Amino acid sequence: MSTLSNLDHQQLNTSVPHETITGVVERLTFYSQESGYSVARLVRSRATELTTIVGSFANIQPGQTLQLTGFWRDHPQYGPQFQVVQYSETKPATITGIEKYLGSGLIKGVGPVTAKRIVAHFGLETLEIIDNQIERLVEVQGIAKKRIKLIQTAWQTQKAIKEVMVFLQGHGVSTTYAVKIYKQYKDEAIATVTHNPYQLATDIYGIGFLTADKIARNIGVAPDSEFRYRAGLIHALAEAAENGHCYLPQPELIEQVTKLLTTESHEPSIEAGANIIKEMGRTEELIRESSAEKTLLCYQPSFFYTEQNIAQLVHKLLGSPIPIDMVRVRDWIERFTTSRRISLSEQQQQAVEMAAYSRVMILTGGPGCGKTFTTHTIVSLWKAMGKSIALAAPTGRAAQRLSEMTGLEAKTIHRLLEFDPSNMGFKRNSDNPLPHTAIIVDEASMLDLFLANSLLKAVAVGAQLLLVGDIDQLPSVGPGNVLADLINSLTVPVVRLTQVFRQAQASAIVTKAHSINRGQYPTIEPISDNPVSDCLWHGGGFEPEHGVQAICELVTDLIPRLGFNPATDVQVLCPMTRGVVGTRNLNGVLQQLINPPALDKVEINRGGIILREGDRIIQQTNDYNREVFNGDLGIIEGIDTEEQEVMVRYSERTVVYDYADLNEIALAWCVTVHKSQGSEYPVVIMPLYMQHFIMLSRNLFYTGLTRARKLAIIIGSKKAISLAVRSCDDQERYTRLQQRLLNIEAACDK
């Protein structure tokens, strides 16, 4: 089997002299799953030193015997290297080569120990035996029939995957997704890609329109084909959803699609885009709705109907107020507060009273304003009223905090609604509502369009719903701006707590957060060896590199001296992923500091990223089959190189990932502020530099700071902090939930 690297085929005919060498891959120095680009060390027969080879490979493993065509070049830092232009794989010819090949992790079920036993028994005939007489593996001590079946399946799958990988590599597809493509389509993988490459963007997580479009052009799909236009329109709306939008105005959608589809030989016209949109509207592939300004708004159908449904559900749930004897309620509140020697502010009193009779209600407010105690009091009132109470939050950590606050069990919303992986839906819905008469959802600012819809569908008619959240935090990661739309519609009862209590005023985290919210530059205590404040500023220099150094010094010196454990108590939060002080770079730096390599820690290299036992990781997608969700944090507690599995411990249980699914998780020693929503950490370190200027905003700064429970350290320039405080004109999300609620209200008033 042979393939070409990403180098131009014409290099074979250039004036650079080419030669062919053969050898066994000793080890990988670097391998990028994204591009296939690899740096490896090769053992050549009769050579006294290892040869460095460089090139793009569909799948390269230690132990492979390769015949390589290419040319020599002298790297200024690393010396002589063989640049591979074309290669083919042959079966290993030596006992050592076969053993290394089998034990490299290539075949699930065969690790180094098992490989050594197999080769010791069959010698040079090993691969021939596995190919044609695999049942003979039972002759090897310790290999049962069940294991043989596993090895046979893995061997056949690997051969099929290799064919798919070679095909995809030839059409510019990232090798990262070859296994997933094979799992999705099995023997139909190549046929599917050839017939409809855009299907990959729909079916395979991580493959987007741009990759599918590149494949399509490689196999001859015309740049002006209607098929391409339709895929481009759907992609543009999906990209908008990634940025929180529920729709795009038609002129903006056409503008984005025109940029997306323009090539050197083709530039789409506005008329062509409008015609395709009109045609897709006829078949309901898109929903077009006219705004008050007569602009056409373009929705993906699921977004349109979900937004409509939320408005109708909220209106239905609001119904009429619950008849309540308010004298008895106020008497209970007085007895409750007197017995506990506490008092409620006027706003808190209003919230508790309103909770007694409101079908749907929102409680919002910043840190230190008493949301926690108010919620606890409402729970106590509802218990006294004999209500069946359910508590939930979008994330596991937020649910755990809610449980600790109220003394009752709290679940994630997905668990509360009983997600069923078999039909990819929730068991609790309008036909099978939750068996509770009162429901509290904390961290409601995190509710996106679809999760809010699922929640509202499951609330029984006549039940009460309390949404608790901080409206000044970042909006949901997913599409929509549900909490803000509900509040701004003025159709749902809202209590906003604004009074900061005296005990909370002792916390600089709380007072500085409110200063930021008011648009005032926060005066933060400079860092020192014996800090007094719980909110500190480290100048960190003007250059991002200085920020990295400052973070390292804090993690290794000040943080431990203050009694905190860097491995469990500290979370670094960044505005963005890219750059020197972005999550990608800082995760590598912090991993080396907090969880360095050790002989007793198994580690694997996936696409240049090392995953090691003891690493903190974050789930990057909603995985309903494993019941782990976007933003969940866990710890790698085991890596099985033979079974090719990674075991991650989340707060409640251990989840097993196959190697092919590891793109669902990422290192989490440092995460973005967006990903930290719904979580709190003992210590937060937040770098803010002008490098982040695109993302700097007041609500991002505020959200990151309020994730800290005991200590917050801001690193960076005053200029960046000032920019963040001033930037409150974030791009408005395109949503119409507020308008839909108002329209229903107006229709009912007629």
Side-chain angles (χ1 to χ4, degrees):
M1 185 184 302
S2 63
T3 184
L4 287 175
S5 74
N6 287 342
L7 293 173
D8 195 292
H9 294 203
Q10 292 180 351
Q11 284 187 334
L12 288 169
N13 301 316
T14 63
S15 57
V16 179
H18 288 68
E19 64 178 272
T20 298
I21 64 174
T22 301
V24 178
V25 178
E26 173 68 18
R27 65 176 181 270
L28 291 182
T29 304
F30 175 81
Y31 176 65
S32 168
Q33 286 190 317
E34 192 62 36
S35 64
Y37 178 79
S38 308
V39 180
R41 301 283 275 167
L42 193 77
V43 178
R44 299 166 64 193
S45 58
R46 293 189 295 277
T48 56
E49 296 182 355
L50 295 177
T51 299
T52 300
I53 61 172
V54 178
S56 291
F57 294 81
N59 187 23
I60 185 170
Q61 299 282 347
Q64 282 180 306
T65 300
L66 301 177
Q67 186 178 76
L68 309 160
T69 299
F71 55 89
W72 292 97
R73 67 178 190 181
D74 195 38
H75 192 281
Q77 184 175 353
Y78 301 112
Q81 296 180 339
F82 189 76
Q83 176 68 60
V84 179
V85 176
Q86 188 176 19
Y87 74 91
S88 62
E89 181 185 353
T90 61
K91 291 181 180 179
T94 66
I95 294 291
T96 303
I98 295 172
E99 190 178 298
K100 177 165 278 195
Y101 179 69
L102 274 185
S104 65
L106 187 72
I107 307 301
K108 186 171 183 177
V110 179
V113 174
T114 305
K116 196 174 188 67
R117 289 199 198 113
I118 294 173
V119 176
H121 187 78
F122 293 113
L124 293 174
E125 296 181 354
T126 296
L127 299 182
E128 189 69 30
I129 295 291
I130 295 176
D131 254 337
N132 301 309
Q133 296 175 282
I134 197 165
E135 67 279 356
R136 286 190 59 193
L137 289 182
V138 75
E139 299 171 19
V140 180
Q141 184 181 3
I143 299 183
K145 288 184 178 180
K146 184 178 179 181
R147 175 61 65 88
I148 292 173
K149 189 73 176 173
L150 177 68
I151 295 171
Q152 183 178 31
T153 301
W155 183 259
Q156 291 171 348
T157 300
Q158 189 61 37
K159 288 171 70 176
I161 288 172
K162 195 172 291 184
E163 289 180 14
V164 172
M165 292 179 83
V166 169
F167 172 81
L168 294 176
Q169 185 88 352
H171 289 87
V173 181
S174 160
T175 57
T176 309
Y177 306 111
V179 175
K180 280 186 172 289
I181 291 172
Y182 179 79
K183 280 187 173 183
Q184 179 74 28
Y185 303 120
K186 301 296 184 191
D187 294 337
E188 300 298 316
I190 293 176
T192 301
V193 172
T194 304
H195 173 68
N196 181 9
Y198 294 103
Q199 194 65 35
L200 296 177
T202 302
D203 295 342
I204 309 294
Y205 169 72
I207 292 184
F209 170 83
L210 296 178
T211 299
D213 192 44
K214 181 179 178 182
I215 299 167
R217 283 186 278 122
N218 283 346
I219 63 176
V221 176
D224 62 347
S225 75
E226 184 175 324
F227 193 40
R228 182 171 183 254
Y229 275 54
R230 287 171 182 264
L233 286 163
I234 296 300
H235 171 75
L237 287 173
E239 285 280 291
E242 289 285 322
N243 293 319
H245 302 302
C246 296
Y247 67 87
L248 283 178
Q250 181 166 306
E252 192 169 327
L253 175 58
I254 291 176
E255 181 185 352
Q256 291 190 18
V257 172
T258 300
K259 290 179 181 176
L260 181 70
L261 300 185
T262 296
T263 66
E264 291 182 3
S265 60
H266 175 71
E267 182 176 346
S269 67
I270 293 176
E271 183 182 5
N275 287 338
I276 297 292
I277 290 173
K278 188 175 182 179
E279 181 60 33
M280 292 177 76
R282 288 198 190 101
T283 58
E284 286 210 356
E285 292 173 85
L286 294 180
I287 302 291
R288 298 190 300 166
E289 183 178 44
S290 183
S291 69
E293 296 79 22
K294 306 303 180 185
T295 301
L296 284 174
L297 312 178
C298 299
Y299 281 85
Q300 291 188 68
S302 60
F303 287 71
F304 178 81
Y305 293 119
T306 300
E307 200 175 67
Q308 272 194 336
N309 200 49
I310 289 177
Q312 292 163 358
L313 286 169
V314 170
H315 179 74
K316 182 180 177 181
L317 289 173
L318 281 169
S320 56
I322 302 168
I324 287 292
D325 183 346
M326 291 307 298
V327 174
R328 289 187 63 189
V329 170
R330 293 187 183 104
D331 286 344
W332 180 90
I333 294 173
E334 185 175 353
R335 291 195 307 273
F336 179 82
T337 54
T338 301
S339 65
R340 286 160 177 76
R341 298 180 181 180
I342 55 175
S343 61
L344 297 175
S345 69
E346 185 178 331
Q347 294 169 336
Q348 289 178 311
Q349 178 88 14
Q350 179 193 6
V352 178
E353 290 181 10
M354 190 180 287
Y357 60 80
S358 296
R359 299 285 186 188
V360 181
M361 173 187 156
I362 295 172
L363 176 65
T364 187
C369 292
K371 283 200 311 296
T372 297
F373 182 69
T374 305
T375 304
H376 174 71
T377 306
I378 291 171
V379 168
S380 299
L381 171 63
W382 280 353
K383 286 170 68 176
M385 295 171 72
K387 295 184 179 294
S388 168
I389 304 170
L391 305 176
T395 67
R397 290 193 171 209
Q400 185 178 350
R401 288 203 317 276
L402 183 59
S403 180
E404 292 167 354
M405 169 180 45
T406 60
L408 299 177
E409 181 188 14
K411 300 178 179 179
T412 62
I413 296 174
H414 289 84
R415 293 255 170 84
L416 178 71
L417 301 182
E418 299 175 28
F419 186 81
D420 182 6
S422 63
N423 62 16
M424 295 303 288
F426 293 105
K427 293 180 181 178
R428 295 294 177 180
N429 50 42
S430 53
D431 296 324
N432 181 31
L434 292 164
H436 303 285
T437 53
I439 300 163
I440 295 178
V441 175
D442 198 11
E443 297 289 353
S445 62
M446 296 180 66
L447 287 173
D448 65 22
L449 188 73
F450 296 102
L451 189 56
N453 184 53
S454 297
L455 171 69
L456 290 166
K457 283 195 297 186
V459 178
V461 175
Q464 292 179 263
L465 175 64
L466 171 63
L467 300 176
V468 183
D470 187 344
I471 192 61
D472 295 315
Q473 287 187 25
L474 289 166
S476 58
V477 174
N481 202 1
V482 175
L483 187 64
D485 285 346
L486 291 175
I487 291 174
N488 294 333
S489 72
L490 304 179
T491 60
V492 179
V494 178
V495 175
R496 181 160 190 162
L497 305 177
T498 57
Q499 179 184 336
V500 180
F501 287 91
R502 186 166 53 192
Q503 57 268 39
Q505 291 176 1
S507 167
I509 294 172
V510 171
T511 58
K512 304 313 174 189
H514 284 280
S515 295
I516 293 164
N517 231 359
R518 291 190 295 268
Q520 300 169 351
Y521 187 95
T523 305
I524 305 174
E525 178 185 323
I527 205 159
S528 63
D529 288 338
N530 297 297
V532 176
S533 174
D534 63 354
C535 185
L536 305 172
W537 174 64
H538 188 304
F542 291 104
E543 297 300 325
E545 290 80 5
H546 298 149
V548 176
Q549 183 180 347
I551 291 171
C552 293
E553 290 171 356
L554 289 171
V555 167
T556 56
D557 182 26
L558 181 65
I559 297 296
R561 281 198 288 112
L562 294 177
F564 296 107
N565 183 344
T568 56
D569 297 336
V570 178
Q571 184 63 61
V572 179
L573 302 180
C574 284
M576 57 200 299
T577 58
R578 297 178 181 176
V580 177
V581 278
T583 60
R584 290 176 187 168
N585 182 57
L586 284 175
N587 265 314
V589 172
L590 291 167
Q591 180 191 49
Q592 197 67 17
L593 277 180
I594 300 172
N595 188 38
L599 292 176
D600 60 341
K601 292 180 186 175
V602 181
E603 63 179 53
I604 55 173
N605 190 320
R606 309 299 291 176
I609 303 297
I610 293 173
L611 295 176
R612 183 178 295 133
E613 288 177 345
D615 274 337
R616 185 189 305 164
I617 62 92
I618 187 169
Q619 175 75 17
Q620 300 189 102
T621 64
N622 288 332
D623 188 329
Y624 297 105
N625 291 309
R626 294 185 177 90
E627 289 190 65
V628 286
F629 304 101
N630 195 348
D632 286 354
L633 291 176
I635 300 291
I636 296 178
E637 63 177 13
I639 298 175
D640 190 329
T641 55
E642 190 158 298
E643 296 296 329
Q644 297 188 10
E645 293 175 339
V646 174
M647 284 65 73
V648 177
R649 179 69 185 175
Y650 291 97
S651 57
E652 299 176 6
R653 62 205 176 88
T654 297
V655 173
V656 178
Y657 294 84
D658 189 271
Y659 278 13
D661 298 321
L662 290 180
N663 61 336
E664 289 188 10
I665 64 175
L667 290 173
W669 300 111
C670 177
V671 299
T672 63
V673 176
H674 284 81
K675 290 284 189 181
S676 73
Q677 288 174 263
S679 296
E680 283 186 352
Y681 317 95
V683 180
V684 163
I685 299 174
M686 185 162 51
L688 295 177
Y689 282 86
M690 291 307 294
Q691 183 185 76
H692 304 132
F693 77 95
I694 295 175
M695 297 297 297
L696 293 178
S697 68
R698 186 180 299 174
N699 61 359
L700 180 136
F701 190 7
Y702 173 84
T703 301
L705 181 61
T706 54
R707 300 309 89 205
R709 195 163 62 242
K710 296 180 179 179
L711 177 64
I713 302 176
I714 311 302
I715 298 176
S717 68
K718 291 182 178 181
K719 184 177 180 181
I721 294 173
S722 179
L723 176 60
V725 173
R726 294 196 313 271
S727 300
C728 58
D729 56 340
D730 293 339
Q731 182 186 14
E732 180 185 351
R733 290 189 170 194
Y734 289 130
T735 75
R736 297 206 82 203
L737 177 58
Q738 177 183 338
Q739 188 60 48
R740 295 188 196 287
L741 287 164
L742 291 170
N743 290 345
I744 293 175
E745 191 82 3
C748 292
D749 290 341
K750 287 182 179 179

